[in-house]
Amino acid sequence: MEVKIGVQYAARELVLESAQTPAEVEQAVTEAMAKDSVLTLTDEKGRKVIVPIAKVAYVEIAESSTRPFGFTTR
């Protein structure tokens, strides 16, 4: 699953591929907002991304899209 995090005053968003479910990511965001703490997510390779929730502008949760490869017809 792909997670995009918009950070205030940053020109680019953070993008990570996570093995967590959309419900788990939503719960992590909600808990971080309730506690006014940090948002901690883990990507597919086991790396942790930690963002202060006060600096988060938005969080976009989307299923990973499979890209076509080779010669395809549409």
Side-chain angles (χ1 to χ4, degrees):
M1 169 185 66
E2 182 178 78
V3 179
K4 293 181 183 178
I5 304 170
V7 181
Q8 294 177 359
Y9 310 114
R12 296 179 56 183
E13 57 195 10
L14 299 173
V15 180
L16 67 122
E17 291 289 327
S18 178
Q20 294 172 296
T21 66
E24 290 173 337
V25 173
E26 184 177 354
Q27 182 180 5
V29 172
T30 304
E31 287 175 4
M33 290 175 68
K35 296 177 184 176
D36 195 29
S37 61
V38 295
L39 172 61
T40 304
L41 298 174
T42 306
D43 72 358
E44 288 182 337
K45 295 180 180 179
R47 297 177 292 197
K48 289 193 181 231
V49 176
I50 302 170
V51 182
I53 199 68
K55 298 297 180 185
V56 172
Y58 65 89
V59 177
E60 182 180 313
I61 304 167
E63 292 296 324
S64 295
S65 60
T66 57
R67 296 181 181 160
F69 59 92
F71 295 100
T72 61
T73 56
R74 294 184 183 200

mmCIF file of all heavy atoms in Angstrom, residues 36 45 49-50 55 64:
data_model
loop_
_atom_site.group_PDB
_atom_site.id
_atom_site.type_symbol
_atom_site.label_atom_id
_atom_site.label_comp_id
_atom_site.label_asym_id
_atom_site.label_seq_id
_atom_site.Cartn_x
_atom_site.Cartn_y
_atom_site.Cartn_z
ATOM 1 N N ASP A 36 -1.175 14.206 20.199
ATOM 2 C CA ASP A 36 -0.325 15.312 19.749
ATOM 3 C C ASP A 36 1.149 14.908 19.855
ATOM 4 O O ASP A 36 1.966 15.601 20.436
ATOM 5 C CB ASP A 36 -0.603 16.581 20.550
ATOM 6 C CG ASP A 36 -0.014 17.814 19.875
ATOM 7 O OD1 ASP A 36 0.106 17.816 18.633
ATOM 8 O OD2 ASP A 36 0.354 18.762 20.588
ATOM 9 N N LYS A 45 10.458 -2.414 3.715
ATOM 10 C CA LYS A 45 11.802 -2.911 3.997
ATOM 11 C C LYS A 45 12.132 -2.862 5.487
ATOM 12 O O LYS A 45 13.247 -3.139 5.879
ATOM 13 C CB LYS A 45 12.826 -2.096 3.216
ATOM 14 C CG LYS A 45 12.676 -2.265 1.716
ATOM 15 C CD LYS A 45 13.706 -1.454 0.978
ATOM 16 C CE LYS A 45 13.520 -1.645 -0.520
ATOM 17 N NZ LYS A 45 14.485 -0.863 -1.288
ATOM 18 N N VAL A 49 9.552 5.580 9.503
ATOM 19 C CA VAL A 49 9.418 6.989 9.171
ATOM 20 C C VAL A 49 8.710 7.637 10.346
ATOM 21 O O VAL A 49 7.619 7.216 10.722
ATOM 22 C CB VAL A 49 8.612 7.193 7.866
ATOM 23 C CG1 VAL A 49 8.407 8.659 7.580
ATOM 24 C CG2 VAL A 49 9.301 6.507 6.713
ATOM 25 N N ILE A 50 9.337 8.647 10.941
ATOM 26 C CA ILE A 50 8.780 9.324 12.112
ATOM 27 C C ILE A 50 8.615 10.802 11.775
ATOM 28 O O ILE A 50 9.586 11.462 11.401
ATOM 29 C CB ILE A 50 9.696 9.145 13.332
ATOM 30 C CG1 ILE A 50 9.882 7.660 13.629
ATOM 31 C CG2 ILE A 50 9.132 9.870 14.545
ATOM 32 C CD1 ILE A 50 10.937 7.357 14.653
ATOM 33 N N LYS A 55 3.439 18.872 12.268
ATOM 34 C CA LYS A 55 3.932 19.316 10.955
ATOM 35 C C LYS A 55 3.254 18.607 9.790
ATOM 36 O O LYS A 55 3.533 18.903 8.634
ATOM 37 C CB LYS A 55 5.451 19.102 10.851
ATOM 38 C CG LYS A 55 6.237 19.890 11.859
ATOM 39 C CD LYS A 55 6.063 21.369 11.646
ATOM 40 C CE LYS A 55 6.862 22.151 12.671
ATOM 41 N NZ LYS A 55 6.637 23.576 12.566
ATOM 42 N N SER A 64 -1.564 0.188 -3.700
ATOM 43 C CA SER A 64 -0.509 0.250 -4.706
ATOM 44 C C SER A 64 -1.083 -0.145 -6.054
ATOM 45 O O SER A 64 -1.820 -1.123 -6.169
ATOM 46 C CB SER A 64 0.632 -0.701 -4.356
ATOM 47 O OG SER A 64 1.247 -0.289 -3.177
#
